[in-house]
Amino acid sequence: MDQTSHMRSSVIIPGGTILIADGNRTVARVIAKILEKEHHKVHQVEDGPAALDALLNQPLTLALIDADLPKMNAIEVTHLYRFGSVGRAHLPILGLIGETSGEMLSACIDAGLDGCISKPIEPTELLDAVNTSLGIVAEPAAAVETPVGFDDVTEWPAIDPRILRDLEKLGGEGFIEDVISQFVADASRLFPDLSASASACDAGLFHDHIHALRSCAGNVGATGLYKMCLAWRAIGARELASNGSECISKLQAEFARATSALDSYEWRQQQAS
C-alpha cells in the first residue's frame, strides 16, 4: 500500500464500521470476509452515490473505495466527501486500484485519499493496510503488478490452489463455494459487455470491463484468466478493430478452463471431507 508521507491523525469510532465500496461483488465478498474474520463490522455499497451517502451519514472507522466504482469513482467520491466534511474528524479512505502507477497514486492522494491497496486483494496486505491507516502497525511496502505478454498466458495454470486454500481457511467450504459461484455469475455478466465494447472498438469501456474481470479472477485464484486480462488491459481501439474478436474468444476459452478447474477443485475437496 502507498500512503502519504504525512499521515493525518485518525479518530477510531467505537463500534464504527468499515465501508467497502466496490461494484465487483466477488471482490467485495472476499474483502468483507477478511475483515469480518478480524471482528470488523462492514457496510457494503456498489456505486459512488451510495458510497458518498455512507461516508456522510454512517459512523465509519475507515473506507475502502474502488478506483473504478460505478457512477462516481474513488477520486470523485473522496473529493466531494472531503469538501463536505470540513470540520469533522479525519476519516481514513483507501483506494482499491488495479494499477499502482505513480500517476494514479498521485491523483488519489491529491483528491484526499490516504493511500491505495492494489488488486487482487491479498489478506495480509489488506489487514496491514487497514491497521496502518488506524495507526496500529508500520506501513507496508507497495505491491506493483508487472504486465505479461499475451502469449505468455498459456504457461500459467488455470487456477492457483493456494489462493483457494486461503479462501477456505478464511470462511470454510461454504464460503469458497459462494465465492466461486459469485465469480462465475459476475464474469458471465461481464462477457456481453466486453464483446460489445470490442465490437464498437471502444477501448475505454473495454478497459473498464477487463479490469473488473481481472479483479474477479485474481480474487478467486483464476491465474490464467487474470494474466490474460493483465496482458490485454492496455489494448487500443485500432487493436480492438483487428484483434477484438480473437481476444474475446481467448478470454471465453480461458474462462471455461478456469470454471472447469474450479469445479474439479470443489469436487476433490468434497470427496476429501
Side-chain angles (χ1 to χ4, degrees):
M1 183 189 74
D2 277 272
Q3 291 185 303
T4 54
S5 57
H6 302 289
M7 288 295 295
R8 289 161 285 195
S9 61
S10 303
V11 176
I12 302 177
I13 303 172
T17 298
I18 295 179
L19 174 67
I20 303 171
D22 199 313
N24 189 314
R25 293 178 182 176
T26 303
V27 175
R29 191 177 184 88
V30 171
I31 293 174
K33 178 59 71 172
I34 293 169
L35 295 175
E36 288 170 344
K37 192 169 184 180
E38 295 299 314
H39 309 293
H40 292 289
K41 297 178 183 178
V42 299
H43 177 69
Q44 299 182 55
V45 298
E46 296 185 1
D47 61 44
L52 181 59
D53 180 71
L55 288 170
L56 291 170
N57 298 302
Q58 296 290 330
L60 301 173
T61 301
L62 174 71
L64 306 173
I65 306 179
D66 181 39
D68 296 312
L69 196 63
K71 299 182 182 178
M72 284 194 294
N73 62 32
I75 291 175
E76 294 167 327
V77 169
T78 304
H79 179 77
L80 288 173
Y81 170 71
R82 296 297 189 210
F83 181 78
S85 62
V86 175
R88 292 188 181 187
H90 180 75
L91 175 70
I93 301 176
L94 302 178
L96 305 173
I97 63 175
E99 303 290 341
T100 51
S101 66
E103 183 178 349
M104 171 60 78
L105 293 173
S106 295
C108 288
I109 299 305
D110 289 345
L113 281 86
D114 297 274
C116 295
I117 304 171
S118 59
K119 291 182 176 182
I121 299 299
E122 199 283 322
T124 300
E125 291 180 4
L126 172 65
L127 293 174
D128 283 349
V130 168
N131 290 335
T132 297
S133 295
L134 300 178
I136 299 173
V137 296
E139 179 180 339
V144 179
E145 292 178 329
T146 302
V148 298
F150 184 71
D151 293 336
D152 296 335
V153 173
T154 54
E155 300 178 7
W156 291 90
I159 61 172
D160 185 345
R162 295 172 300 175
I163 293 177
L164 294 168
R165 286 194 292 269
D166 287 343
L167 288 173
E168 190 167 355
K169 290 177 184 176
L170 192 62
E173 289 184 15
F175 173 65
I176 195 171
E177 290 173 4
D178 288 346
V179 169
I180 290 173
S181 295
Q182 189 68 63
F183 159 69
V184 172
D186 287 345
S188 298
R189 283 194 294 268
L190 283 168
F191 272 105
D193 294 331
L194 273 167
S195 297
S197 59
S199 297
C201 300
D202 189 329
L205 276 178
F206 185 84
H207 296 163
D208 290 344
H209 299 319
I210 209 165
H211 167 76
L213 182 60
R214 177 162 58 108
S215 293
C216 289
N219 282 285
V220 80
T223 307
L225 185 60
Y226 173 84
K227 293 294 183 180
M228 186 172 284
C229 291
L230 181 63
W232 281 79
R233 75 190 191 281
I235 189 172
R238 184 174 299 178
E239 292 170 295
L240 282 176
S242 58
N243 299 314
S245 59
E246 179 188 4
C247 174
I248 296 299
S249 295
K250 289 187 175 182
L251 285 168
Q252 289 173 328
E254 185 57 36
F255 174 58
R257 191 169 78 105
T259 53
S260 177
L262 289 168
D263 286 343
S264 296
Y265 178 88
E266 285 189 282
W267 182 84
R268 289 194 300 270
Q269 295 304 104
Q270 290 168 358
Q271 295 301 306
S273 61

